[in-house]
Structures are given as structure tokens and as C-alpha cells.
Amino acid sequence: MIHKKLDIPLRVYKDQALLRRLPLNHDKRSDIEEDQKSRESGYRGEHQLQYYLQELPDKDFHIFNDLRLPTTSNTSFQIDSLVISSHLAVIIEVKHMSGTLFFDNTFNQLIQTKSKKERAYLNPLAQVRRQKHLLERLMQSNQVHLPIDYLVVSSNAHAILKAKPENQEGFQKVIRVEQVLEKILSLHHIHPKPMLTLSNMNKIMTLLLNKHNPVDTNILKTYSIDVNNIICGVQCPACKKYSMTRKFGEWYCSICQCVSKKAHKQALLDYFLLFGSKITNRQCRDFLHLTSRKVAWQLLKDLNLPSDGENRTTFYTLSFDKLYDAGSND
């Protein structure tokens, strides 16, 4: 049973919004594009993993995706997927990398060879061992005792996995995604004795959901981008220019003559992703290039957003779920 489903990371949406709103010649575009590509690849790998995890018996296995949990030192650690039964827990780290992947236990690194170029990464086995240690401490501090194992899953069908013969951990813990169901079941059988009662199982599931603390990155601060570099306005859904003006209750593009009723939703979503959830009428007008306070008020009101304050001090709380709609532009 899936208790925390896999979603596209908010950071991916933030990268996309930033790329939409930065000039094409901005010197940070390549860094943002690389980050976006890496995160989208990671999401694809985790999505492939779900195809196999959903085959686990619902009544015996409980799945949590993309968990961010606290440590005792007030930091956090991330787990791609966590599978829990009454017998054990299995942490899964997913890698969607292509090329030849050499798990080097001598220098504790992962070396990717692709297009005749080598690149070194942190050893995912070391990462997942740390996750195991931190999860054990979290469980023990909450009086939960359960064996924890771990796997590194390669989800790219074109990857070639290699390790030295003496790297037993690599051969035992690094697998291809299509092996994950068989591997988890075999680990389950290694621990034949149930360690959790139904009550304790419910306790640990509640604990994980309550402790999950999703990160909300200030994307402009992350890339050290001046707010004045951000392009304001409503983007035309057809020609992609920031050339739309509000006329007679609709958005009209002065370049391609496209007409839309809801193009402002994408603009407000970009505002949410770049600047945060709080927006005033004045900020709305500035960002959408509106002159009418009444029009801005009506657009925000129609979204049924929570508000606080009075008159000119009123601010509205934007919501990702209300603004994100693939079919919002018409």
C-alpha cells in the first residue's frame, strides 16, 4: 500500500518557472538547465521504480516515497523510497544514470563513463548506509525496533554496472530496477519473524508522515539571482511572448492575437514558485502588468484564496494546487 505517493519535485517546477522568467542570455541559465535535467531524470527513475513496487502485496508492504526526515542534529536526510513490512524496512536509493557505472569501494565513489568522459559522484552505497543509520536512530528514539536493509537501484536500462570482484557490498546491494521485487521479497524471507504488531506498524506509519518535512527552496537565493532580472507579465500560451494585456475580461496577445481567459494562472503560479505564497493586490498588479486595482482584486478573488488583513494591507495566500492546471490556458 502506498502511504506517500511520488510527486514531481517542487524544485523541478521552480527551475521551470525560473527558466521561463529569465532572459535567454542570463549567465545562470546553463546551471539551472543542468539542475532541472538532473532532477527530472531522477524523477523518471523513481517513477520507474514505482511500477515494480506496486506489485508488492498491499496487505504486507507499505511504501513511502520521497521522504525528508529530521536528524537529532536539526538537519534532515532524504530517502527516495522506503518499503516497510512487519519484518523489516528497506531503504531504496534510485540512480537513473546512463553509461558505465563503476562502484569504486577503494576511494568510495561512483565513476560514470559516458561518451569517453569520466565523472565522479558520491558513492550511493555510502549515502544509503548513512540513511540507514539515521533512520535507525529516528526509530529507536521513538521506541520502534525494526531491522533495516538498503538497496541502490539502477533504473536506466542502458547503464552498465561494474565493480571490483572483492566489492561484495556492490554485488549484493546494487541491482537493476526489474530485480527490485524479487530482492525485497528475498530480504523479507531472511527475516521470517514479524517484529511489529499492528499497533506498532500504525505507529511507525504515522511517525514517518508526521516527521516528513518537505524542503521549500528559495530559488532566487539558491542561484543568487537579482529580482530585477525576473521578467514580469503574462505569457502568451501560443507564442510564449510576455505580450498579453487584459481586455474585456480576457487576455489578449498583441503579437499573435491569441485570446485566453486564464493565462494569469500560469503567471501567478510562476510568482508562487519564485517569490513565495504571499501576494498583495499591488504585487499582483506589478507582476501581471495591470493598472486596475479592481481587476487584480477580482482575479485573486475568483481563485478562492485565503486572505488576511484589510484594504490595502490585505495579502492573499497562493496555492500550488489551485494554480497548477495543465489545461488552464484556453
Side-chain angles (χ1 to χ4, degrees):
M1 179 181 295
I2 297 177
H3 295 270
K4 186 178 180 301
K5 67 186 182 71
L6 178 67
D7 293 314
I8 297 175
L10 188 62
R11 177 62 180 269
V12 171
Y13 291 113
K14 292 193 175 193
D15 280 348
Q16 292 171 348
L18 193 49
L19 290 171
R20 276 193 296 271
R21 296 280 170 174
L22 276 183
L24 293 177
N25 62 350
H26 196 280
D27 59 2
K28 294 294 178 68
R29 285 194 72 92
S30 60
D31 293 339
I32 303 164
E33 288 168 347
E34 183 176 354
D35 183 76
Q36 179 195 19
K37 183 179 179 180
S38 174
R39 293 178 187 277
E40 288 180 343
S41 175
Y43 171 76
R44 288 195 297 272
E46 292 178 47
H47 190 266
Q48 287 186 23
L49 174 65
Q50 302 311 303
Y51 175 80
Y52 295 95
L53 291 184
Q54 68 183 359
E55 298 299 321
L56 289 167
D58 271 357
K59 64 183 180 67
D60 297 323
F61 294 91
H62 307 274
I63 301 168
F64 298 81
N65 294 298
D66 195 21
L67 278 174
R68 186 171 180 266
L69 302 170
T71 69
T72 54
S73 56
N74 294 322
T75 59
S76 298
F77 66 103
Q78 190 91 14
I79 295 177
D80 287 345
S81 289
L82 178 65
V83 179
I84 296 180
S85 74
S86 60
H87 296 234
L88 84 162
V90 182
I91 300 172
I92 303 176
E93 176 76 13
V94 185
K95 295 298 177 186
H96 194 65
M97 303 167 68
S98 59
T100 298
L101 307 180
F102 178 67
F103 291 81
D104 179 16
N105 61 332
T106 302
F107 295 102
N108 199 30
Q109 62 187 338
L110 171 62
I111 301 173
Q112 179 192 40
T113 304
K114 184 178 179 181
S115 302
K116 299 182 179 180
K117 294 182 180 180
E118 285 188 342
R119 183 173 178 178
Y121 295 88
L122 294 174
N123 185 355
L125 287 167
Q127 288 178 273
V128 79
R129 285 197 302 269
R130 176 178 178 272
Q131 293 166 6
K132 175 187 175 183
H133 171 69
L134 293 173
L135 184 59
E136 284 174 339
R137 289 175 63 179
L138 178 63
M139 287 188 175
Q140 289 168 5
S141 66
N142 287 274
Q143 289 76 52
V144 176
H145 303 282
L146 186 69
I148 301 176
D149 214 318
Y150 58 89
L151 296 170
V152 172
V153 173
S154 173
S155 57
N156 193 313
H158 303 292
I160 299 172
L161 308 181
K162 290 187 175 183
K164 292 180 180 179
E166 62 269 24
N167 186 357
Q168 290 303 306
E169 182 188 30
F171 287 108
Q172 293 174 7
K173 301 300 182 184
V174 180
I175 62 173
R176 293 191 175 277
V177 68
E178 61 269 17
Q179 297 174 281
V180 71
L181 179 63
E182 178 183 357
K183 188 68 175 181
I184 290 175
L185 292 175
S186 68
L187 291 173
H188 191 263
H189 292 148
I190 292 174
H191 300 274
K193 182 180 178 180
M195 302 296 294
L196 297 178
T197 63
L198 179 60
S199 175
N200 283 335
M201 178 64 78
N202 290 331
K203 177 181 179 180
I204 192 173
M205 290 189 290
T206 300
L207 170 70
L208 292 171
L209 292 175
N210 288 342
K211 291 290 186 180
H212 171 62
N213 180 29
V215 64
D216 189 7
T217 304
N218 183 328
I219 199 71
L220 299 184
K221 185 176 180 180
T222 297
Y223 291 109
S224 301
I225 291 175
D226 191 313
V227 65
N228 294 317
N229 293 148
I230 300 300
I231 300 170
C232 296
V234 177
Q235 187 180 39
C236 174
C239 70
K240 305 304 180 184
K241 303 295 184 182
Y242 290 90
S243 52
M244 303 206 89
T245 55
R246 190 76 175 173
K247 294 182 179 180
F248 307 110
E250 295 180 321
W251 293 97
Y252 172 78
C253 177
S254 60
I255 294 178
C256 72
Q257 287 74 57
C258 172
V259 177
S260 171
K261 292 183 179 180
K262 302 178 182 179
H264 61 283
K265 289 184 66 177
Q266 180 64 61
L268 289 174
L269 176 60
D270 287 350
Y271 185 97
F272 167 83
L273 294 168
L274 299 178
F275 301 109
S277 61
K278 306 300 183 184
I279 189 170
T280 64
N281 186 291
R282 179 81 220 190
Q283 290 169 329
C284 179
R285 281 180 280 149
D286 289 344
F287 196 72
L288 301 185
H289 289 169
L290 292 170
T291 57
S292 170
R293 179 179 179 84
K294 182 178 179 180
V295 170
W297 171 80
Q298 189 66 55
L299 292 176
L300 293 170
K301 180 177 179 293
D302 288 346
L303 290 170
N304 296 317
L305 302 173
S307 62
D308 195 13
E310 295 182 0
N311 301 322
R312 295 183 182 275
T313 64
T314 301
F315 65 84
Y316 301 83
T317 302
L318 299 172
S319 163
F320 179 87
D321 291 335
K322 287 186 177 181
L323 293 170
Y324 181 72
D325 179 1
S328 63
N329 290 330
D330 53 3

